[in-house]
mmCIF file of all heavy atoms in Angstrom:
data_model
loop_
_atom_site.group_PDB
_atom_site.id
_atom_site.type_symbol
_atom_site.label_atom_id
_atom_site.label_comp_id
_atom_site.label_asym_id
_atom_site.label_seq_id
_atom_site.Cartn_x
_atom_site.Cartn_y
_atom_site.Cartn_z
ATOM 1 N N LEU V 40 -5.197 24.439 -0.772
ATOM 2 C CA LEU V 40 -4.333 25.017 0.271
ATOM 3 C C LEU V 40 -5.053 26.223 0.901
ATOM 4 O O LEU V 40 -5.104 27.295 0.284
ATOM 5 C CB LEU V 40 -3.003 25.385 -0.311
ATOM 6 C CG LEU V 40 -2.264 24.223 -1.025
ATOM 7 C CD1 LEU V 40 -0.924 24.708 -1.607
ATOM 8 C CD2 LEU V 40 -2.030 23.066 -0.061
ATOM 9 N N GLY V 41 -5.586 26.068 2.107
ATOM 10 C CA GLY V 41 -6.293 27.159 2.736
ATOM 11 C C GLY V 41 -7.757 26.899 2.897
ATOM 12 O O GLY V 41 -8.533 26.649 1.910
ATOM 13 N N GLY V 42 -8.226 26.858 4.113
ATOM 14 C CA GLY V 42 -9.634 26.615 4.442
ATOM 15 C C GLY V 42 -10.336 27.851 4.852
ATOM 16 O O GLY V 42 -10.933 27.897 5.916
ATOM 17 N N GLY V 43 -10.244 28.878 4.029
ATOM 18 C CA GLY V 43 -10.973 30.119 4.283
ATOM 19 C C GLY V 43 -12.224 30.107 3.423
ATOM 20 O O GLY V 43 -12.750 29.040 3.038
ATOM 21 N N ALA V 44 -12.719 31.343 3.110
ATOM 22 C CA ALA V 44 -13.965 31.437 2.348
ATOM 23 C C ALA V 44 -13.879 30.746 0.999
ATOM 24 O O ALA V 44 -14.712 29.876 0.704
ATOM 25 C CB ALA V 44 -14.289 32.920 2.212
ATOM 26 N N ALA V 45 -12.897 31.099 0.236
ATOM 27 C CA ALA V 45 -12.814 30.561 -1.109
ATOM 28 C C ALA V 45 -12.512 29.070 -1.082
ATOM 29 O O ALA V 45 -13.138 28.261 -1.799
ATOM 30 C CB ALA V 45 -11.695 31.295 -1.897
ATOM 31 N N GLY V 46 -11.575 28.662 -0.245
ATOM 32 C CA GLY V 46 -11.169 27.232 -0.229
ATOM 33 C C GLY V 46 -12.321 26.309 0.242
ATOM 34 O O GLY V 46 -12.569 25.299 -0.407
ATOM 35 N N LEU V 63 -6.160 21.595 3.168
ATOM 36 C CA LEU V 63 -5.105 21.674 4.175
ATOM 37 C C LEU V 63 -5.126 23.129 4.717
ATOM 38 O O LEU V 63 -4.880 24.053 3.949
ATOM 39 C CB LEU V 63 -3.726 21.348 3.582
ATOM 40 C CG LEU V 63 -3.536 19.944 3.087
ATOM 41 C CD1 LEU V 63 -2.186 19.791 2.369
ATOM 42 C CD2 LEU V 63 -3.705 18.915 4.224
ATOM 43 N N GLU V 64 -5.349 23.265 6.022
ATOM 44 C CA GLU V 64 -5.426 24.574 6.612
ATOM 45 C C GLU V 64 -4.353 24.674 7.728
ATOM 46 O O GLU V 64 -4.254 23.782 8.557
ATOM 47 C CB GLU V 64 -6.840 24.744 7.244
ATOM 48 C CG GLU V 64 -6.985 25.878 8.223
ATOM 49 C CD GLU V 64 -6.700 27.256 7.602
ATOM 50 O OE1 GLU V 64 -7.204 27.580 6.540
ATOM 51 O OE2 GLU V 64 -5.902 27.973 8.200
ATOM 52 N N LYS V 65 -3.706 25.862 7.720
ATOM 53 C CA LYS V 65 -2.570 26.013 8.680
ATOM 54 C C LYS V 65 -3.135 26.302 10.086
ATOM 55 O O LYS V 65 -2.504 25.838 11.079
ATOM 56 C CB LYS V 65 -1.781 27.255 8.191
ATOM 57 C CG LYS V 65 -0.600 27.570 9.001
ATOM 58 C CD LYS V 65 0.097 28.832 8.422
ATOM 59 C CE LYS V 65 -0.752 30.052 8.601
ATOM 60 N NZ LYS V 65 -0.083 31.288 8.229
ATOM 61 N N ALA V 66 -4.206 27.024 10.201
ATOM 62 C CA ALA V 66 -4.694 27.453 11.465
ATOM 63 C C ALA V 66 -5.362 26.289 12.275
ATOM 64 O O ALA V 66 -5.554 25.250 11.685
ATOM 65 C CB ALA V 66 -5.689 28.591 11.340
ATOM 66 N N ARG V 68 -8.327 26.217 13.159
ATOM 67 C CA ARG V 68 -9.706 25.971 12.642
ATOM 68 C C ARG V 68 -9.903 26.766 11.356
ATOM 69 O O ARG V 68 -9.121 27.667 11.051
ATOM 70 C CB ARG V 68 -10.779 26.397 13.659
ATOM 71 C CG ARG V 68 -10.635 27.799 14.154
ATOM 72 C CD ARG V 68 -11.563 28.038 15.305
ATOM 73 N NE ARG V 68 -11.234 29.303 15.884
ATOM 74 C CZ ARG V 68 -12.150 30.131 16.363
ATOM 75 N NH1 ARG V 68 -13.378 29.804 16.410
ATOM 76 N NH2 ARG V 68 -11.730 31.309 16.825
ATOM 77 N N VAL V 69 -10.898 26.338 10.610
ATOM 78 C CA VAL V 69 -11.165 26.900 9.277
ATOM 79 C C VAL V 69 -11.990 28.227 9.404
ATOM 80 O O VAL V 69 -12.672 28.437 10.440
ATOM 81 C CB VAL V 69 -11.844 25.937 8.308
ATOM 82 C CG1 VAL V 69 -10.908 24.722 8.022
ATOM 83 C CG2 VAL V 69 -13.184 25.495 8.916
ATOM 84 N N GLY V 70 -11.942 29.036 8.376
ATOM 85 C CA GLY V 70 -12.873 30.145 8.212
ATOM 86 C C GLY V 70 -12.774 31.264 9.285
ATOM 87 O O GLY V 70 -13.733 31.905 9.612
ATOM 88 N N LYS V 71 -11.533 31.495 9.779
ATOM 89 C CA LYS V 71 -11.396 32.469 10.841
ATOM 90 C C LYS V 71 -11.842 33.884 10.417
ATOM 91 O O LYS V 71 -12.417 34.603 11.195
ATOM 92 C CB LYS V 71 -9.918 32.532 11.275
ATOM 93 C CG LYS V 71 -9.594 31.506 12.299
ATOM 94 C CD LYS V 71 -8.153 31.772 12.858
ATOM 95 C CE LYS V 71 -7.814 30.897 14.028
ATOM 96 N NZ LYS V 71 -6.450 31.139 14.500
ATOM 97 N N LYS V 72 -11.455 34.238 9.137
ATOM 98 C CA LYS V 72 -11.853 35.587 8.737
ATOM 99 C C LYS V 72 -13.395 35.732 8.567
ATOM 100 O O LYS V 72 -13.963 36.781 8.751
ATOM 101 C CB LYS V 72 -11.122 36.032 7.446
ATOM 102 C CG LYS V 72 -9.753 36.601 7.761
ATOM 103 C CD LYS V 72 -9.174 37.328 6.562
ATOM 104 C CE LYS V 72 -7.725 37.676 6.916
ATOM 105 N NZ LYS V 72 -6.925 38.055 5.687
ATOM 106 N N ILE V 73 -14.007 34.586 8.182
ATOM 107 C CA ILE V 73 -15.471 34.637 8.041
ATOM 108 C C ILE V 73 -16.067 34.950 9.409
ATOM 109 O O ILE V 73 -16.993 35.742 9.585
ATOM 110 C CB ILE V 73 -16.004 33.343 7.503
ATOM 111 C CG1 ILE V 73 -15.397 32.981 6.149
ATOM 112 C CG2 ILE V 73 -17.568 33.388 7.390
ATOM 113 C CD1 ILE V 73 -15.790 31.624 5.607
ATOM 114 N N ILE V 75 -14.973 36.640 11.898
ATOM 115 C CA ILE V 75 -14.905 38.024 12.415
ATOM 116 C C ILE V 75 -15.512 38.969 11.498
ATOM 117 O O ILE V 75 -15.576 40.180 11.725
ATOM 118 C CB ILE V 75 -13.429 38.430 12.764
ATOM 119 C CG1 ILE V 75 -12.569 38.356 11.510
ATOM 120 C CG2 ILE V 75 -12.833 37.650 13.885
ATOM 121 C CD1 ILE V 75 -11.284 39.174 11.602
ATOM 122 N N SER V 76 -15.941 38.490 10.313
ATOM 123 C CA SER V 76 -16.381 39.421 9.258
ATOM 124 C C SER V 76 -17.723 40.068 9.603
ATOM 125 O O SER V 76 -18.487 39.542 10.402
ATOM 126 C CB SER V 76 -16.520 38.637 7.929
ATOM 127 O OG SER V 76 -17.641 37.789 8.028
ATOM 128 N N GLY V 77 -17.891 41.258 9.003
ATOM 129 C CA GLY V 77 -19.171 41.935 9.137
ATOM 130 C C GLY V 77 -19.573 42.142 10.567
ATOM 131 O O GLY V 77 -20.759 42.038 10.957
ATOM 132 N N GLY V 78 -18.573 42.462 11.435
ATOM 133 C CA GLY V 78 -18.850 42.670 12.840
ATOM 134 C C GLY V 78 -19.479 41.456 13.493
ATOM 135 O O GLY V 78 -20.283 41.554 14.441
ATOM 136 N N CYS V 81 -21.116 38.501 9.314
ATOM 137 C CA CYS V 81 -20.738 38.176 7.959
ATOM 138 C C CYS V 81 -21.606 38.838 6.881
ATOM 139 O O CYS V 81 -22.701 38.407 6.620
ATOM 140 C CB CYS V 81 -20.773 36.660 7.763
ATOM 141 S SG CYS V 81 -20.068 36.198 6.174
ATOM 142 N N ASN V 82 -21.026 39.829 6.259
ATOM 143 C CA ASN V 82 -21.662 40.492 5.123
ATOM 144 C C ASN V 82 -21.324 39.554 3.921
ATOM 145 O O ASN V 82 -20.307 39.791 3.252
ATOM 146 C CB ASN V 82 -21.092 41.910 4.977
ATOM 147 C CG ASN V 82 -21.608 42.666 3.789
ATOM 148 O OD1 ASN V 82 -21.152 43.712 3.453
ATOM 149 N ND2 ASN V 82 -22.672 42.091 3.172
ATOM 150 N N PHE V 83 -22.120 38.521 3.746
ATOM 151 C CA PHE V 83 -21.734 37.415 2.895
ATOM 152 C C PHE V 83 -21.843 37.666 1.416
ATOM 153 O O PHE V 83 -21.231 36.903 0.610
ATOM 154 C CB PHE V 83 -22.433 36.109 3.301
ATOM 155 C CG PHE V 83 -23.952 36.244 3.316
ATOM 156 C CD1 PHE V 83 -24.675 36.193 2.138
ATOM 157 C CD2 PHE V 83 -24.653 36.422 4.473
ATOM 158 C CE1 PHE V 83 -26.058 36.298 2.120
ATOM 159 C CE2 PHE V 83 -26.039 36.560 4.497
ATOM 160 C CZ PHE V 83 -26.742 36.505 3.327
ATOM 161 N N THR V 84 -22.566 38.686 0.993
ATOM 162 C CA THR V 84 -22.569 39.019 -0.437
ATOM 163 C C THR V 84 -23.100 40.448 -0.590
ATOM 164 O O THR V 84 -23.505 41.108 0.374
ATOM 165 C CB THR V 84 -23.343 38.088 -1.326
ATOM 166 O OG1 THR V 84 -23.114 38.317 -2.705
ATOM 167 C CG2 THR V 84 -24.891 38.136 -1.129
ATOM 168 N N PHE V 133 -26.393 40.450 5.341
ATOM 169 C CA PHE V 133 -25.765 39.970 6.585
ATOM 170 C C PHE V 133 -26.640 38.842 7.157
ATOM 171 O O PHE V 133 -27.837 38.823 6.940
ATOM 172 C CB PHE V 133 -25.708 41.070 7.645
ATOM 173 C CG PHE V 133 -24.736 42.140 7.405
ATOM 174 C CD1 PHE V 133 -24.926 43.134 6.442
ATOM 175 C CD2 PHE V 133 -23.529 42.224 8.122
ATOM 176 C CE1 PHE V 133 -23.996 44.148 6.192
ATOM 177 C CE2 PHE V 133 -22.637 43.219 7.951
ATOM 178 C CZ PHE V 133 -22.857 44.176 6.998
ATOM 179 N N GLN V 160 -2.081 22.368 9.818
ATOM 180 C CA GLN V 160 -1.146 21.737 8.811
ATOM 181 C C GLN V 160 -0.006 22.678 8.469
ATOM 182 O O GLN V 160 -0.213 23.815 8.079
ATOM 183 C CB GLN V 160 -1.914 21.363 7.535
ATOM 184 C CG GLN V 160 -2.918 20.322 7.717
ATOM 185 C CD GLN V 160 -2.363 18.957 8.222
ATOM 186 O OE1 GLN V 160 -1.509 18.421 7.553
ATOM 187 N NE2 GLN V 160 -2.796 18.527 9.368
ATOM 188 N N ILE V 162 2.676 23.218 6.011
ATOM 189 C CA ILE V 162 3.009 22.738 4.656
ATOM 190 C C ILE V 162 4.514 22.988 4.421
ATOM 191 O O ILE V 162 4.961 24.105 4.313
ATOM 192 C CB ILE V 162 2.151 23.439 3.577
ATOM 193 C CG1 ILE V 162 0.643 23.044 3.819
ATOM 194 C CG2 ILE V 162 2.592 23.066 2.184
ATOM 195 C CD1 ILE V 162 -0.317 23.772 3.042
ATOM 196 N N ALA V 189 -5.607 28.713 -2.184
ATOM 197 C CA ALA V 189 -6.750 29.452 -1.612
ATOM 198 C C ALA V 189 -6.321 30.003 -0.237
ATOM 199 O O ALA V 189 -7.103 30.030 0.681
ATOM 200 C CB ALA V 189 -7.938 28.541 -1.461
ATOM 201 N N SER V 190 -5.069 30.421 -0.199
ATOM 202 C CA SER V 190 -4.567 30.824 1.142
ATOM 203 C C SER V 190 -4.610 32.326 1.379
ATOM 204 O O SER V 190 -3.969 32.832 2.343
ATOM 205 C CB SER V 190 -3.120 30.306 1.368
ATOM 206 O OG SER V 190 -2.281 30.664 0.303
ATOM 207 N N GLY V 191 -5.358 33.053 0.564
ATOM 208 C CA GLY V 191 -5.618 34.446 0.826
ATOM 209 C C GLY V 191 -4.452 35.336 0.700
ATOM 210 O O GLY V 191 -3.412 35.012 0.085
ATOM 211 N N GLY V 192 -4.598 36.547 1.241
ATOM 212 C CA GLY V 192 -3.579 37.589 1.213
ATOM 213 C C GLY V 192 -2.976 37.846 2.575
ATOM 214 O O GLY V 192 -3.414 37.305 3.592
ATOM 215 N N SER V 194 -3.250 40.362 4.622
ATOM 216 C CA SER V 194 -3.868 41.325 5.539
ATOM 217 C C SER V 194 -4.258 40.632 6.839
ATOM 218 O O SER V 194 -4.707 39.475 6.877
ATOM 219 C CB SER V 194 -5.070 41.998 4.910
ATOM 220 O OG SER V 194 -6.025 41.061 4.552
ATOM 221 N N ILE V 195 -4.068 41.315 7.978
ATOM 222 C CA ILE V 195 -4.293 40.835 9.299
ATOM 223 C C ILE V 195 -3.356 39.637 9.616
ATOM 224 O O ILE V 195 -3.816 38.540 9.871
ATOM 225 C CB ILE V 195 -5.798 40.467 9.629
ATOM 226 C CG1 ILE V 195 -6.707 41.461 8.966
ATOM 227 C CG2 ILE V 195 -5.994 40.363 11.138
ATOM 228 C CD1 ILE V 195 -6.949 42.743 9.652
ATOM 229 N N MET V 198 -3.866 37.129 12.484
ATOM 230 C CA MET V 198 -4.763 36.002 12.323
ATOM 231 C C MET V 198 -4.140 34.863 11.528
ATOM 232 O O MET V 198 -4.798 33.931 11.133
ATOM 233 C CB MET V 198 -6.035 36.434 11.623
ATOM 234 C CG MET V 198 -6.815 37.389 12.486
ATOM 235 S SD MET V 198 -8.416 37.635 11.678
ATOM 236 C CE MET V 198 -9.121 35.995 11.928
ATOM 237 N N GLY V 199 -2.824 35.005 11.243
ATOM 238 C CA GLY V 199 -2.143 33.925 10.566
ATOM 239 C C GLY V 199 -2.025 34.203 9.014
ATOM 240 O O GLY V 199 -1.494 33.333 8.343
ATOM 241 N N ALA V 200 -2.509 35.319 8.586
ATOM 242 C CA ALA V 200 -2.385 35.620 7.161
ATOM 243 C C ALA V 200 -0.954 35.853 6.790
ATOM 244 O O ALA V 200 -0.160 36.347 7.571
ATOM 245 C CB ALA V 200 -3.219 36.851 6.800
ATOM 246 N N SER V 201 -0.577 35.405 5.590
ATOM 247 C CA SER V 201 0.823 35.514 5.155
ATOM 248 C C SER V 201 0.880 35.591 3.631
ATOM 249 O O SER V 201 -0.153 35.587 2.957
ATOM 250 C CB SER V 201 1.605 34.263 5.584
ATOM 251 O OG SER V 201 1.229 33.192 4.788
ATOM 252 N N PHE V 203 2.066 33.390 1.723
ATOM 253 C CA PHE V 203 2.266 32.037 1.234
ATOM 254 C C PHE V 203 1.814 31.834 -0.201
ATOM 255 O O PHE V 203 2.539 31.229 -1.010
ATOM 256 C CB PHE V 203 1.477 31.043 2.168
ATOM 257 C CG PHE V 203 1.605 29.618 1.867
ATOM 258 C CD1 PHE V 203 2.790 28.936 1.969
ATOM 259 C CD2 PHE V 203 0.487 28.870 1.390
ATOM 260 C CE1 PHE V 203 2.934 27.589 1.635
ATOM 261 C CE2 PHE V 203 0.609 27.521 1.079
ATOM 262 C CZ PHE V 203 1.818 26.879 1.200
ATOM 263 N N ARG V 206 4.443 33.237 -2.573
ATOM 264 C CA ARG V 206 5.614 32.437 -2.596
ATOM 265 C C ARG V 206 5.446 31.198 -3.493
ATOM 266 O O ARG V 206 6.244 30.911 -4.315
ATOM 267 C CB ARG V 206 6.033 31.986 -1.196
ATOM 268 C CG ARG V 206 6.731 33.137 -0.448
ATOM 269 C CD ARG V 206 7.301 32.617 0.896
ATOM 270 N NE ARG V 206 6.310 32.881 1.972
ATOM 271 C CZ ARG V 206 6.035 31.939 2.891
ATOM 272 N NH1 ARG V 206 6.545 30.744 2.874
ATOM 273 N NH2 ARG V 206 5.094 32.216 3.826
ATOM 274 N N ALA V 364 -5.578 46.257 7.471
ATOM 275 C CA ALA V 364 -6.265 46.185 6.149
ATOM 276 C C ALA V 364 -7.278 45.056 6.093
ATOM 277 O O ALA V 364 -6.927 43.934 6.421
ATOM 278 C CB ALA V 364 -5.218 46.051 5.083
ATOM 279 N N GLU V 365 -8.482 45.390 5.674
ATOM 280 C CA GLU V 365 -9.500 44.348 5.597
ATOM 281 C C GLU V 365 -9.164 43.356 4.467
ATOM 282 O O GLU V 365 -9.483 42.187 4.529
ATOM 283 C CB GLU V 365 -10.890 44.948 5.360
ATOM 284 C CG GLU V 365 -11.954 43.990 5.723
ATOM 285 C CD GLU V 365 -13.287 44.723 6.037
ATOM 286 O OE1 GLU V 365 -13.320 45.612 6.896
ATOM 287 O OE2 GLU V 365 -14.303 44.375 5.369
ATOM 288 N N VAL V 366 -8.506 43.855 3.413
ATOM 289 C CA VAL V 366 -8.119 43.004 2.342
ATOM 290 C C VAL V 366 -6.736 43.454 1.776
ATOM 291 O O VAL V 366 -6.267 44.474 2.088
ATOM 292 C CB VAL V 366 -9.147 42.941 1.173
ATOM 293 C CG1 VAL V 366 -10.393 42.200 1.534
ATOM 294 C CG2 VAL V 366 -9.441 44.338 0.652
ATOM 295 N N ILE V 392 -7.630 30.920 -6.358
ATOM 296 C CA ILE V 392 -8.998 31.496 -6.116
ATOM 297 C C ILE V 392 -8.944 32.485 -4.907
ATOM 298 O O ILE V 392 -8.007 32.460 -4.096
ATOM 299 C CB ILE V 392 -10.018 30.367 -5.851
ATOM 300 C CG1 ILE V 392 -9.600 29.502 -4.640
ATOM 301 C CG2 ILE V 392 -10.212 29.530 -7.082
ATOM 302 C CD1 ILE V 392 -10.682 28.453 -4.285
ATOM 303 N N GLY V 393 -9.978 33.301 -4.833
ATOM 304 C CA GLY V 393 -10.121 34.143 -3.649
ATOM 305 C C GLY V 393 -9.171 35.332 -3.651
ATOM 306 O O GLY V 393 -8.745 35.846 -4.689
ATOM 307 N N GLU V 394 -8.857 35.769 -2.435
ATOM 308 C CA GLU V 394 -8.074 36.986 -2.244
ATOM 309 C C GLU V 394 -6.637 36.870 -2.761
ATOM 310 O O GLU V 394 -5.978 37.878 -3.008
ATOM 311 C CB GLU V 394 -8.093 37.334 -0.797
ATOM 312 C CG GLU V 394 -7.723 38.804 -0.519
ATOM 313 C CD GLU V 394 -7.845 39.110 0.960
ATOM 314 O OE1 GLU V 394 -8.800 38.630 1.613
ATOM 315 O OE2 GLU V 394 -6.952 39.814 1.481
ATOM 316 N N ALA V 395 -6.151 35.628 -2.934
ATOM 317 C CA ALA V 395 -4.779 35.453 -3.471
ATOM 318 C C ALA V 395 -4.622 36.038 -4.881
ATOM 319 O O ALA V 395 -3.544 36.366 -5.309
ATOM 320 C CB ALA V 395 -4.415 33.985 -3.453
ATOM 321 N N TRP V 401 -14.759 46.027 -3.347
ATOM 322 C CA TRP V 401 -15.100 47.108 -2.471
ATOM 323 C C TRP V 401 -15.509 46.537 -1.120
ATOM 324 O O TRP V 401 -15.767 45.356 -0.953
ATOM 325 C CB TRP V 401 -16.327 47.872 -2.987
ATOM 326 C CG TRP V 401 -16.053 48.679 -4.185
ATOM 327 C CD1 TRP V 401 -14.860 48.817 -4.895
ATOM 328 C CD2 TRP V 401 -17.014 49.550 -4.893
ATOM 329 N NE1 TRP V 401 -15.016 49.667 -5.952
ATOM 330 C CE2 TRP V 401 -16.311 50.149 -5.969
ATOM 331 C CE3 TRP V 401 -18.322 49.857 -4.660
ATOM 332 C CZ2 TRP V 401 -16.946 51.017 -6.856
ATOM 333 C CZ3 TRP V 401 -18.982 50.728 -5.574
ATOM 334 C CH2 TRP V 401 -18.295 51.312 -6.634
ATOM 335 N N GLY V 403 -18.307 45.761 1.571
ATOM 336 C CA GLY V 403 -19.746 45.567 1.494
ATOM 337 C C GLY V 403 -20.192 44.261 0.916
ATOM 338 O O GLY V 403 -21.216 44.150 0.289
ATOM 339 N N GLY V 404 -19.419 43.148 1.165
ATOM 340 C CA GLY V 404 -19.813 41.856 0.743
ATOM 341 C C GLY V 404 -19.219 41.438 -0.577
ATOM 342 O O GLY V 404 -19.389 40.262 -1.023
ATOM 343 N N TYR V 405 -18.536 42.344 -1.255
ATOM 344 C CA TYR V 405 -17.991 42.077 -2.575
ATOM 345 C C TYR V 405 -16.842 41.069 -2.540
ATOM 346 O O TYR V 405 -16.634 40.308 -3.415
ATOM 347 C CB TYR V 405 -17.518 43.381 -3.255
ATOM 348 C CG TYR V 405 -18.631 44.373 -3.405
ATOM 349 C CD1 TYR V 405 -18.730 45.446 -2.505
ATOM 350 C CD2 TYR V 405 -19.571 44.294 -4.434
ATOM 351 C CE1 TYR V 405 -19.722 46.374 -2.640
ATOM 352 C CE2 TYR V 405 -20.514 45.232 -4.616
ATOM 353 C CZ TYR V 405 -20.642 46.284 -3.667
ATOM 354 O OH TYR V 405 -21.599 47.179 -3.826
ATOM 355 N N ASN V 406 -16.048 41.141 -1.454
ATOM 356 C CA ASN V 406 -14.879 40.223 -1.409
ATOM 357 C C ASN V 406 -15.335 38.771 -1.194
ATOM 358 O O ASN V 406 -14.751 37.902 -1.772
ATOM 359 C CB ASN V 406 -13.920 40.696 -0.338
ATOM 360 C CG ASN V 406 -13.111 41.895 -0.910
ATOM 361 O OD1 ASN V 406 -12.383 41.726 -1.884
ATOM 362 N ND2 ASN V 406 -13.321 43.068 -0.323
ATOM 363 N N PHE V 407 -16.341 38.611 -0.357
ATOM 364 C CA PHE V 407 -16.822 37.225 -0.218
ATOM 365 C C PHE V 407 -17.434 36.755 -1.531
ATOM 366 O O PHE V 407 -17.279 35.556 -1.941
ATOM 367 C CB PHE V 407 -17.818 37.054 0.913
ATOM 368 C CG PHE V 407 -17.165 36.989 2.246
ATOM 369 C CD1 PHE V 407 -17.667 37.668 3.384
ATOM 370 C CD2 PHE V 407 -16.053 36.181 2.450
ATOM 371 C CE1 PHE V 407 -17.049 37.581 4.617
ATOM 372 C CE2 PHE V 407 -15.382 36.090 3.697
ATOM 373 C CZ PHE V 407 -15.930 36.802 4.750
ATOM 374 N N GLN V 408 -18.151 37.648 -2.220
ATOM 375 C CA GLN V 408 -18.759 37.190 -3.510
ATOM 376 C C GLN V 408 -17.651 36.743 -4.482
ATOM 377 O O GLN V 408 -17.851 35.789 -5.223
ATOM 378 C CB GLN V 408 -19.658 38.305 -4.124
ATOM 379 C CG GLN V 408 -20.388 37.867 -5.343
ATOM 380 C CD GLN V 408 -21.319 36.672 -5.111
ATOM 381 O OE1 GLN V 408 -21.835 36.507 -4.028
ATOM 382 N NE2 GLN V 408 -21.471 35.849 -6.099
ATOM 383 N N ALA V 410 -14.796 35.445 -3.544
ATOM 384 C CA ALA V 410 -14.286 34.150 -3.065
ATOM 385 C C ALA V 410 -15.251 33.014 -3.546
ATOM 386 O O ALA V 410 -14.772 31.989 -4.041
ATOM 387 C CB ALA V 410 -14.238 34.178 -1.512
HETATM 388 P P1 LIG L 1002 -9.143 33.706 3.663
HETATM 389 O O1 LIG L 1002 -8.212 34.677 4.336
HETATM 390 O O2 LIG L 1002 -10.558 33.668 4.043
HETATM 391 O O3 LIG L 1002 -8.629 32.249 3.827
HETATM 392 C C1 LIG L 1002 -7.302 31.872 3.615
HETATM 393 C C2 LIG L 1002 -7.022 30.629 4.481
HETATM 394 O O4 LIG L 1002 -5.738 30.139 4.151
HETATM 395 C C3 LIG L 1002 -7.022 30.987 5.961
HETATM 396 O O5 LIG L 1002 -7.799 30.090 6.651
HETATM 397 C C4 LIG L 1002 -5.538 30.845 6.330
HETATM 398 O O6 LIG L 1002 -5.331 30.465 7.683
HETATM 399 C C5 LIG L 1002 -5.074 29.775 5.355
HETATM 400 N N1 LIG L 1002 -3.683 29.799 5.127
HETATM 401 C C6 LIG L 1002 -2.807 30.866 5.036
HETATM 402 N N2 LIG L 1002 -1.586 30.442 4.865
HETATM 403 C C7 LIG L 1002 -1.605 29.072 4.806
HETATM 404 C C8 LIG L 1002 -0.647 28.049 4.680
HETATM 405 N N3 LIG L 1002 0.687 28.374 4.575
HETATM 406 N N4 LIG L 1002 -1.023 26.785 4.699
HETATM 407 C C9 LIG L 1002 -2.317 26.474 4.822
HETATM 408 N N5 LIG L 1002 -3.269 27.386 4.958
HETATM 409 C C10 LIG L 1002 -2.950 28.696 4.985
HETATM 410 N N6 LIG L 1002 -15.474 40.534 3.086
HETATM 411 C C11 LIG L 1002 -16.779 40.601 2.775
HETATM 412 O O7 LIG L 1002 -17.137 40.331 1.632
HETATM 413 N N7 LIG L 1002 -17.683 40.912 3.781
HETATM 414 C C12 LIG L 1002 -17.344 41.116 5.015
HETATM 415 O O8 LIG L 1002 -18.175 41.304 5.943
HETATM 416 C C13 LIG L 1002 -15.907 41.111 5.402
HETATM 417 N N8 LIG L 1002 -15.490 41.433 6.616
HETATM 418 C C14 LIG L 1002 -14.174 41.363 6.950
HETATM 419 C C15 LIG L 1002 -13.725 41.705 8.187
HETATM 420 C C16 LIG L 1002 -12.364 41.651 8.519
HETATM 421 C C17 LIG L 1002 -11.942 42.033 9.912
HETATM 422 C C18 LIG L 1002 -11.452 41.214 7.551
HETATM 423 C C19 LIG L 1002 -10.016 41.038 7.881
HETATM 424 C C20 LIG L 1002 -11.864 40.867 6.302
HETATM 425 C C21 LIG L 1002 -13.258 40.957 5.951
HETATM 426 N N9 LIG L 1002 -13.665 40.689 4.648
HETATM 427 C C22 LIG L 1002 -15.015 40.753 4.372
HETATM 428 C C23 LIG L 1002 -12.773 40.184 3.575
HETATM 429 C C24 LIG L 1002 -12.853 38.647 3.504
HETATM 430 O O9 LIG L 1002 -12.688 38.116 4.802
HETATM 431 C C25 LIG L 1002 -11.800 38.124 2.585
HETATM 432 O O10 LIG L 1002 -11.859 38.741 1.307
HETATM 433 C C26 LIG L 1002 -12.030 36.606 2.337
HETATM 434 O O11 LIG L 1002 -11.967 35.914 3.566
HETATM 435 C C27 LIG L 1002 -11.033 36.061 1.355
HETATM 436 O O12 LIG L 1002 -11.263 34.650 1.262
HETATM 437 P P2 LIG L 1002 -10.030 33.710 0.939
HETATM 438 O O13 LIG L 1002 -10.549 32.321 1.142
HETATM 439 O O14 LIG L 1002 -9.374 34.048 -0.309
HETATM 440 O O15 LIG L 1002 -8.996 34.019 2.120
#
Side-chain angles (χ1 to χ4, degrees):
L40 304 179
L63 295 175
E64 166 59 51
K65 181 180 68 172
R68 54 190 171 144
V69 294
K71 275 188 171 179
K72 273 193 190 166
I73 303 174
I75 59 160
S76 69
C81 188
N82 179 189
F83 55 79
T84 192
F133 287 75
Q160 294 298 301
I162 296 171
S190 54
S194 60
I195 321 278
M198 293 191 68
S201 74
F203 181 66
R206 280 187 269 134
E365 198 159 305
V366 288
I392 58 175
E394 200 176 317
W401 289 2
Y405 301 98
N406 283 296
F407 280 138
Q408 186 58 34

